[in-house]
Amino acid sequence: MDCSVKNQGKTQFVQFDALNRDGHYSRVQRKRRLYQVGFFVLFILAPVFDIFRIDLTLGHLILFGQDWTLGLAGWQSGELSTAQATWNLVWRGLLPLVLLVGAFIYTAWKYGRLYCGWLCPHFSVVETINNLMRRASGKFSLWDKQKSDELRPDGRYVPVRRSLWPLVWLAAIGFAFLWAVVFLTYLLPPVQVYSHLINLELTRNETIFLSAATIALSIEFLFARHLFCRFACAVGVFQSIAWMANKKAMVVGFDRSRAADCRSCNAACEQACPMRLKPRDIKRHMFTCTECAQCLEACEQVQAGGPGNSGKIQTPLLQWIQDECARDTSERDFGIKPNVPDDCYRR
Protein backbone atom coordinates (compact mmCIF):
# COMPACT_ATOMS: atom_id res chain seq x y z
CA MET A 1 0.00 0.00 0.00
CA ASP A 2 1.29 3.49 -0.84
CA CYS A 3 0.56 6.27 1.57
CA SER A 4 1.38 9.91 0.93
CA VAL A 5 1.37 12.76 3.39
CA LYS A 6 1.97 16.45 2.95
CA ASN A 7 4.61 18.07 5.08
CA GLN A 8 5.50 21.75 4.65
CA GLY A 9 4.59 21.76 0.97
CA LYS A 10 6.42 18.52 0.19
CA THR A 11 4.91 15.14 -0.45
CA GLN A 12 6.55 12.15 1.24
CA PHE A 13 5.72 8.61 0.22
CA VAL A 14 5.91 5.62 2.50
CA GLN A 15 5.13 2.03 1.58
CA PHE A 16 4.05 -0.24 4.35
CA ASP A 17 2.50 -3.66 4.66
CA ALA A 18 -0.24 -4.83 7.02
CA LEU A 19 2.58 -6.25 9.15
CA ASN A 20 3.30 -2.69 10.25
CA ARG A 21 0.01 -2.61 12.10
CA ASP A 22 0.28 -6.05 13.69
CA GLY A 23 3.91 -7.14 13.46
CA HIS A 24 5.75 -9.29 15.98
CA TYR A 25 7.13 -6.38 17.98
CA SER A 26 3.84 -4.48 17.75
CA ARG A 27 2.29 -7.39 19.63
CA VAL A 28 5.19 -7.23 22.07
CA GLN A 29 4.43 -3.54 22.64
CA ARG A 30 0.78 -4.26 23.44
CA LYS A 31 1.83 -6.89 25.94
CA ARG A 32 4.36 -4.51 27.47
CA ARG A 33 1.72 -1.80 27.84
CA LEU A 34 -0.53 -4.21 29.71
CA TYR A 35 2.28 -5.10 32.10
CA GLN A 36 3.05 -1.42 32.64
CA VAL A 37 -0.57 -0.47 33.32
CA GLY A 38 -1.03 -3.43 35.65
CA PHE A 39 2.09 -2.65 37.65
CA PHE A 40 1.25 1.07 37.79
CA VAL A 41 -2.15 0.21 39.28
CA LEU A 42 -0.43 -2.14 41.75
CA PHE A 43 2.01 0.65 42.65
CA ILE A 44 -0.91 2.91 43.57
CA LEU A 45 -3.08 0.33 45.34
CA ALA A 46 -0.44 -1.74 47.18
CA PRO A 47 -0.47 0.48 50.29
CA VAL A 48 -4.26 0.90 50.16
CA PHE A 49 -4.82 -2.86 50.47
CA ASP A 50 -1.85 -3.38 52.80
CA ILE A 51 -0.04 -5.47 50.21
CA PHE A 52 3.18 -3.64 51.01
CA ARG A 53 4.00 -0.50 52.95
CA ILE A 54 6.21 0.78 55.73
CA ASP A 55 4.03 2.30 58.44
CA LEU A 56 5.97 4.95 60.34
CA THR A 57 3.23 5.21 62.95
CA LEU A 58 3.66 1.52 63.82
CA GLY A 59 7.36 1.41 63.14
CA HIS A 60 7.43 -1.71 60.99
CA LEU A 61 6.65 -3.24 57.60
CA ILE A 62 3.20 -4.45 56.59
CA LEU A 63 3.19 -7.26 54.03
CA PHE A 64 0.00 -8.80 52.64
CA GLY A 65 -1.99 -7.47 55.57
CA GLN A 66 0.35 -8.89 58.21
CA ASP A 67 2.71 -7.07 60.53
CA TRP A 68 6.23 -7.97 59.47
CA THR A 69 8.70 -7.34 62.27
CA LEU A 70 12.10 -8.73 63.15
CA GLY A 71 10.85 -9.81 66.56
CA LEU A 72 13.52 -7.86 68.40
CA ALA A 73 11.01 -6.30 70.79
CA GLY A 74 10.59 -9.69 72.49
CA TRP A 75 14.35 -10.00 72.89
CA GLN A 76 14.60 -6.51 74.38
CA SER A 77 11.85 -7.35 76.89
CA GLY A 78 13.52 -10.63 77.80
CA GLU A 79 10.81 -12.87 76.29
CA LEU A 80 13.16 -14.26 73.62
CA SER A 81 16.67 -15.63 73.95
CA THR A 82 19.57 -14.29 71.92
CA ALA A 83 19.47 -17.42 69.74
CA GLN A 84 15.75 -16.95 69.00
CA ALA A 85 16.26 -13.28 68.22
CA THR A 86 19.14 -14.13 65.88
CA TRP A 87 16.98 -16.73 64.10
CA ASN A 88 14.18 -14.15 63.68
CA LEU A 89 16.68 -11.68 62.26
CA VAL A 90 17.92 -14.21 59.70
CA TRP A 91 14.51 -15.73 58.85
CA ARG A 92 12.46 -12.54 58.71
CA GLY A 93 15.08 -10.06 57.57
CA LEU A 94 18.25 -11.39 55.96
CA LEU A 95 16.88 -14.42 54.07
CA PRO A 96 13.93 -12.65 52.33
CA LEU A 97 16.23 -9.77 51.38
CA VAL A 98 18.87 -12.11 49.92
CA LEU A 99 16.27 -14.08 47.95
CA LEU A 100 14.57 -10.95 46.60
CA VAL A 101 17.80 -9.19 45.63
CA GLY A 102 19.26 -12.42 44.23
CA ALA A 103 16.25 -13.05 41.98
CA PHE A 104 16.28 -9.44 40.83
CA ILE A 105 20.01 -9.42 40.04
CA TYR A 106 19.78 -12.78 38.21
CA THR A 107 16.94 -11.46 36.03
CA ALA A 108 18.98 -8.35 35.25
CA TRP A 109 22.11 -10.45 34.54
CA LYS A 110 20.17 -12.51 32.00
CA TYR A 111 17.80 -9.93 30.49
CA GLY A 112 19.07 -6.46 31.39
CA ARG A 113 16.80 -3.64 32.56
CA LEU A 114 13.68 -5.69 32.01
CA TYR A 115 12.06 -4.23 35.12
CA CYS A 116 12.63 -0.70 33.84
CA GLY A 117 11.12 -1.24 30.41
CA TRP A 118 8.26 -3.54 31.36
CA LEU A 119 7.19 -2.68 34.92
CA CYS A 120 8.76 0.46 36.38
CA PRO A 121 6.06 3.11 37.05
CA HIS A 122 8.64 5.87 36.62
CA PHE A 123 9.52 4.71 33.13
CA SER A 124 5.80 4.62 32.29
CA VAL A 125 5.66 8.31 33.16
CA VAL A 126 8.86 8.95 31.17
CA GLU A 127 7.33 7.41 28.05
CA THR A 128 4.02 9.24 28.50
CA ILE A 129 5.70 12.65 28.82
CA ASN A 130 8.08 11.74 25.97
CA ASN A 131 5.15 11.16 23.63
CA LEU A 132 3.35 14.33 24.71
CA MET A 133 6.50 16.44 24.40
CA ARG A 134 7.20 14.99 20.97
CA ARG A 135 3.70 16.00 19.85
CA ALA A 136 4.18 19.50 21.28
CA SER A 137 7.77 20.22 20.19
CA GLY A 138 8.99 17.44 17.91
CA LYS A 139 11.47 16.36 20.61
CA PHE A 140 11.45 13.66 23.29
CA SER A 141 13.42 15.95 25.58
CA LEU A 142 14.00 19.67 25.91
CA TRP A 143 17.70 18.93 25.56
CA ASP A 144 17.45 17.14 22.18
CA LYS A 145 19.35 19.10 19.53
CA GLN A 146 17.28 17.93 16.57
CA LYS A 147 13.59 17.34 16.09
CA SER A 148 12.26 13.89 15.28
CA ASP A 149 10.54 13.23 11.97
CA GLU A 150 6.82 13.86 11.92
CA LEU A 151 6.48 10.82 9.68
CA ARG A 152 6.44 7.68 11.83
CA PRO A 153 7.79 4.25 10.77
CA ASP A 154 4.26 2.83 10.49
CA GLY A 155 3.27 5.46 7.90
CA ARG A 156 1.40 7.82 10.22
CA TYR A 157 2.02 11.53 9.89
CA VAL A 158 1.95 13.15 13.33
CA PRO A 159 2.51 16.92 13.05
CA VAL A 160 3.90 19.08 15.84
CA ARG A 161 1.19 21.00 17.67
CA ARG A 162 2.51 23.65 20.04
CA SER A 163 -0.97 24.01 21.47
CA LEU A 164 -0.31 20.74 23.34
CA TRP A 165 2.35 22.29 25.61
CA PRO A 166 -0.17 22.97 28.42
CA LEU A 167 -0.99 19.25 28.34
CA VAL A 168 2.71 18.43 28.78
CA TRP A 169 2.96 20.65 31.85
CA LEU A 170 -0.33 19.36 33.23
CA ALA A 171 0.81 15.73 32.80
CA ALA A 172 4.18 16.37 34.48
CA ILE A 173 2.67 18.20 37.46
CA GLY A 174 -0.27 15.77 37.69
CA PHE A 175 1.97 12.69 37.74
CA ALA A 176 4.27 14.41 40.23
CA PHE A 177 1.41 15.10 42.62
CA LEU A 178 0.05 11.57 42.21
CA TRP A 179 3.47 10.12 42.98
CA ALA A 180 3.85 12.35 46.02
CA VAL A 181 0.52 11.18 47.40
CA VAL A 182 1.28 7.52 46.71
CA PHE A 183 4.73 7.81 48.32
CA LEU A 184 3.08 9.26 51.42
CA THR A 185 0.65 6.34 51.62
CA TYR A 186 3.63 3.98 51.74
CA LEU A 187 4.75 5.76 54.93
CA LEU A 188 1.49 6.70 56.67
CA PRO A 189 -1.88 4.92 56.85
CA PRO A 190 -3.55 5.40 53.41
CA VAL A 191 -6.96 6.02 55.01
CA GLN A 192 -5.47 8.93 56.95
CA VAL A 193 -3.69 10.41 53.92
CA TYR A 194 -6.64 10.23 51.52
CA SER A 195 -9.11 11.38 54.19
CA HIS A 196 -7.00 14.43 55.00
CA LEU A 197 -6.54 15.15 51.29
CA ILE A 198 -10.22 14.90 50.38
CA ASN A 199 -11.34 16.98 53.35
CA LEU A 200 -8.48 19.49 52.89
CA GLU A 201 -7.27 18.76 56.42
CA LEU A 202 -3.63 17.94 55.71
CA THR A 203 -1.28 18.24 58.66
CA ARG A 204 1.72 20.55 58.49
CA ASN A 205 4.14 17.68 57.86
CA GLU A 206 1.88 16.16 55.18
CA THR A 207 1.62 19.50 53.42
CA ILE A 208 5.38 20.01 53.47
CA PHE A 209 6.02 16.51 52.15
CA LEU A 210 3.45 16.73 49.34
CA SER A 211 4.56 20.22 48.30
CA ALA A 212 8.26 19.42 48.27
CA ALA A 213 7.81 16.06 46.53
CA THR A 214 5.48 17.52 43.89
CA ILE A 215 7.87 20.37 43.06
CA ALA A 216 10.92 18.06 42.92
CA LEU A 217 9.17 15.42 40.80
CA SER A 218 7.68 18.05 38.45
CA ILE A 219 11.16 19.41 37.76
CA GLU A 220 12.50 15.89 37.25
CA PHE A 221 9.67 14.81 34.93
CA LEU A 222 10.00 17.97 32.82
CA PHE A 223 13.75 18.48 32.66
CA ALA A 224 15.71 15.48 33.95
CA ARG A 225 13.69 12.29 33.63
CA HIS A 226 16.20 10.65 31.24
CA LEU A 227 19.15 11.72 33.39
CA PHE A 228 17.47 10.21 36.44
CA CYS A 229 16.94 6.87 34.69
CA ARG A 230 20.51 6.79 33.40
CA PHE A 231 22.54 7.91 36.39
CA ALA A 232 20.45 8.54 39.52
CA CYS A 233 18.20 5.47 39.77
CA ALA A 234 20.03 2.84 41.83
CA VAL A 235 17.64 0.10 40.70
CA GLY A 236 18.40 0.85 37.06
CA VAL A 237 22.16 1.21 37.51
CA PHE A 238 22.49 -2.10 39.39
CA GLN A 239 20.54 -3.84 36.65
CA SER A 240 22.86 -2.39 34.02
CA ILE A 241 25.99 -3.45 35.93
CA ALA A 242 24.71 -7.02 36.28
CA TRP A 243 23.74 -7.08 32.60
CA MET A 244 27.13 -5.82 31.42
CA ALA A 245 28.83 -8.62 33.36
CA ASN A 246 27.10 -11.25 31.19
CA LYS A 247 28.34 -11.26 27.58
CA LYS A 248 25.58 -13.69 26.61
CA ALA A 249 22.69 -11.72 28.11
CA MET A 250 19.74 -10.72 25.96
CA VAL A 251 20.60 -7.61 23.97
CA VAL A 252 19.43 -5.68 20.93
CA GLY A 253 21.56 -7.00 18.08
CA PHE A 254 22.24 -5.41 14.70
CA ASP A 255 22.56 -7.61 11.60
CA ARG A 256 25.77 -6.08 10.25
CA SER A 257 25.70 -8.24 7.12
CA ARG A 258 22.74 -6.18 5.87
CA ALA A 259 23.89 -2.79 7.13
CA ALA A 260 23.45 -1.32 3.65
CA ASP A 261 19.68 -1.66 4.07
CA CYS A 262 19.83 1.15 6.62
CA ARG A 263 20.70 3.70 3.96
CA SER A 264 17.04 4.24 3.06
CA CYS A 265 16.01 4.64 6.70
CA ASN A 266 15.93 7.91 8.65
CA ALA A 267 17.40 6.28 11.79
CA ALA A 268 13.89 5.30 12.86
CA CYS A 269 15.27 3.08 15.64
CA GLU A 270 17.13 6.00 17.23
CA GLN A 271 14.09 8.26 16.99
CA ALA A 272 11.95 5.60 18.67
CA CYS A 273 14.25 4.98 21.64
CA PRO A 274 12.80 6.66 24.77
CA MET A 275 16.25 6.66 26.41
CA ARG A 276 17.80 8.54 23.43
CA LEU A 277 20.25 5.70 22.60
CA LYS A 278 21.61 4.43 19.29
CA PRO A 279 20.43 0.80 19.11
CA ARG A 280 22.86 -0.19 16.34
CA ASP A 281 25.82 0.57 18.58
CA ILE A 282 27.89 -1.80 20.74
CA LYS A 283 26.57 -3.01 24.08
CA ARG A 284 28.74 -0.70 26.17
CA HIS A 285 27.08 2.31 24.56
CA MET A 286 23.66 0.75 25.27
CA PHE A 287 24.35 0.61 29.02
CA THR A 288 20.95 2.09 29.93
CA CYS A 289 18.85 0.11 27.43
CA THR A 290 15.51 -0.78 29.04
CA GLU A 291 14.64 -3.62 26.63
CA CYS A 292 11.43 -1.78 25.76
CA ALA A 293 11.63 -3.03 22.13
CA GLN A 294 10.46 0.25 20.61
CA CYS A 295 13.55 0.42 18.40
CA LEU A 296 12.83 -3.16 17.30
CA GLU A 297 9.25 -2.28 16.40
CA ALA A 298 10.39 0.75 14.37
CA CYS A 299 12.97 -1.33 12.51
CA GLU A 300 10.43 -4.07 11.81
CA GLN A 301 7.98 -1.59 10.36
CA VAL A 302 10.61 0.02 8.12
CA GLN A 303 11.93 -3.35 6.93
CA ALA A 304 8.43 -4.67 6.31
CA GLY A 305 7.65 -2.03 3.74
CA GLY A 306 10.02 0.86 3.74
CA PRO A 307 11.08 2.73 0.61
CA GLY A 308 12.80 0.45 -1.86
CA ASN A 309 11.47 -2.76 -0.39
CA SER A 310 8.53 -2.97 -2.84
CA GLY A 311 6.32 -4.32 -0.10
CA LYS A 312 8.57 -7.34 0.45
CA ILE A 313 8.61 -8.42 4.07
CA GLN A 314 12.15 -8.81 5.41
CA THR A 315 13.46 -9.82 8.79
CA PRO A 316 14.34 -6.72 10.85
CA LEU A 317 17.95 -5.59 11.03
CA LEU A 318 17.49 -5.17 14.78
CA GLN A 319 16.40 -8.12 16.89
CA TRP A 320 16.69 -9.41 20.42
CA ILE A 321 19.57 -11.90 20.56
CA GLN A 322 21.13 -13.84 23.43
CA ASP A 323 23.52 -16.67 24.33
CA GLU A 324 26.24 -17.14 21.70
CA CYS A 325 24.61 -14.67 19.32
CA ALA A 326 24.85 -11.89 21.91
CA ARG A 327 28.65 -12.06 21.81
CA ASP A 328 28.51 -10.27 18.45
CA THR A 329 27.36 -7.14 20.27
CA SER A 330 29.00 -7.47 23.68
CA GLU A 331 32.52 -8.58 22.72
CA ARG A 332 32.91 -5.89 20.10
CA ASP A 333 33.32 -3.60 23.07
CA PHE A 334 36.87 -4.89 23.28
CA GLY A 335 37.72 -4.86 19.57
CA ILE A 336 36.93 -8.56 19.15
CA LYS A 337 35.00 -9.89 16.17
CA PRO A 338 33.63 -13.16 17.55
CA ASN A 339 32.43 -16.07 15.48
CA VAL A 340 28.72 -16.41 16.12
CA PRO A 341 26.06 -18.76 14.67
CA ASP A 342 24.91 -17.91 11.13
CA ASP A 343 21.22 -17.99 12.04
CA CYS A 344 21.25 -15.34 14.78
CA TYR A 345 19.04 -12.96 12.79
CA ARG A 346 16.66 -15.46 11.23
CA ARG A 347 13.11 -16.01 12.41
Side-chain angles (χ1 to χ4, degrees):
M1 180 185 298
D2 291 340
C3 288
S4 62
V5 292
K6 292 183 178 180
N7 180 16
Q8 298 178 346
K10 299 180 180 179
T11 302
Q12 298 179 332
F13 293 90
V14 176
Q15 296 176 323
F16 63 95
D17 192 88
L19 176 62
N20 290 351
R21 297 298 185 186
D22 195 30
H24 171 73
Y25 289 111
S26 294
R27 293 191 293 272
V28 169
Q29 286 303 311
R30 287 198 292 271
K31 182 184 295 185
R32 190 175 70 91
R33 299 299 184 203
L34 288 176
Y35 278 112
Q36 285 183 313
V37 170
F39 198 81
F40 199 94
V41 172
L42 178 62
F43 166 69
I44 295 174
L45 297 182
V48 174
F49 293 101
D50 284 340
I51 297 174
F52 174 81
R53 64 185 180 90
I54 302 172
D55 196 318
L56 297 181
T57 61
L58 298 176
H60 60 252
L61 179 72
I62 294 178
L63 187 65
F64 294 109
Q66 303 297 318
D67 293 337
W68 191 270
T69 67
L70 297 178
L72 298 181
W75 174 70
Q76 292 175 337
S77 64
E79 297 177 4
L80 296 177
S81 66
T82 301
Q84 290 174 316
T86 302
W87 171 250
N88 283 343
L89 189 63
V90 172
W91 176 250
R92 297 184 182 182
L94 184 60
L95 185 60
L97 183 62
V98 169
L99 291 176
L100 181 62
V101 172
F104 186 76
I105 294 298
Y106 174 76
T107 301
W109 180 80
K110 193 171 180 62
Y111 300 109
R113 286 194 178 197
L114 205 62
Y115 167 79
C116 293
W118 286 68
L119 297 177
C120 178
H122 180 273
F123 193 68
S124 301
V125 174
V126 169
E127 289 189 86
T128 301
I129 297 177
N130 276 355
N131 293 330
L132 289 173
M133 191 169 290
R134 186 177 183 181
R135 291 292 306 275
S137 67
K139 301 179 180 180
F140 274 163
S141 168
L142 292 174
W143 313 119
D144 285 353
K145 295 181 180 180
Q146 296 181 343
K147 292 184 178 180
S148 301
D149 284 354
E150 295 178 341
L151 194 62
R152 303 296 170 83
D154 62 1
R156 292 180 300 127
Y157 173 61
V158 184
V160 172
R161 299 185 184 279
R162 298 190 180 279
S163 59
L164 293 177
W165 266 113
L167 187 59
V168 176
W169 287 86
L170 180 63
I173 297 172
F175 276 121
F177 179 72
L178 174 63
W179 269 55
V181 172
V182 172
F183 280 154
L184 192 58
T185 62
Y186 275 91
L187 303 175
L188 298 176
V191 173
Q192 171 187 317
V193 173
Y194 286 118
S195 175
H196 288 179
L197 188 63
I198 292 173
N199 295 313
L200 301 179
E201 297 175 349
L202 292 171
T203 65
R204 179 175 178 273
N205 288 339
E206 290 172 346
T207 301
I208 293 175
F209 180 90
L210 290 178
S211 300
T214 300
I215 292 172
L217 287 168
S218 295
I219 294 173
E220 190 256 317
F221 287 156
L222 281 169
F223 304 106
R225 58 189 182 280
H226 299 104
L227 292 175
F228 176 85
C229 286
R230 289 181 179 180
F231 307 115
C233 177
V235 174
V237 171
F238 279 119
Q239 286 181 94
S240 291
I241 293 174
W243 180 60
M244 290 298 296
N246 182 10
K247 295 181 180 179
K248 297 182 180 181
M250 186 179 77
V251 65
V252 173
F254 174 52
D255 187 356
R256 301 174 191 278
S257 66
R258 295 168 50 214
D261 291 351
C262 285
R263 286 181 299 188
S264 60
C265 178
N266 61 346
C269 57
E270 297 176 16
Q271 296 194 44
C273 178
M275 291 295 287
R276 322 314 299 128
L277 304 176
K278 297 181 178 181
R280 291 169 291 180
D281 216 330
I282 56 178
K283 183 177 179 179
R284 176 165 51 88
H285 295 164
M286 295 288 289
F287 181 79
T288 56
C289 174
T290 62
E291 309 291 2
C292 70
Q294 293 189 63
C295 62
L296 305 181
E297 181 187 40
C299 184
E300 180 185 52
Q301 290 172 340
V302 171
Q303 288 298 304
N309 284 348
S310 300
K312 181 182 178 181
I313 297 176
Q314 302 184 44
T315 56
L317 292 164
L318 290 178
Q319 296 183 35
W320 270 325
I321 55 175
Q322 57 186 338
D323 300 328
E324 288 298 319
C325 292
R327 292 171 54 235
D328 179 58
T329 299
S330 60
E331 291 189 355
R332 286 179 181 268
D333 291 3
F334 307 98
I336 302 173
K337 295 183 180 180
N339 293 321
V340 297
D342 295 331
D343 59 350
C344 289
Y345 295 96
R346 298 176 185 172
R347 276 208 218 135

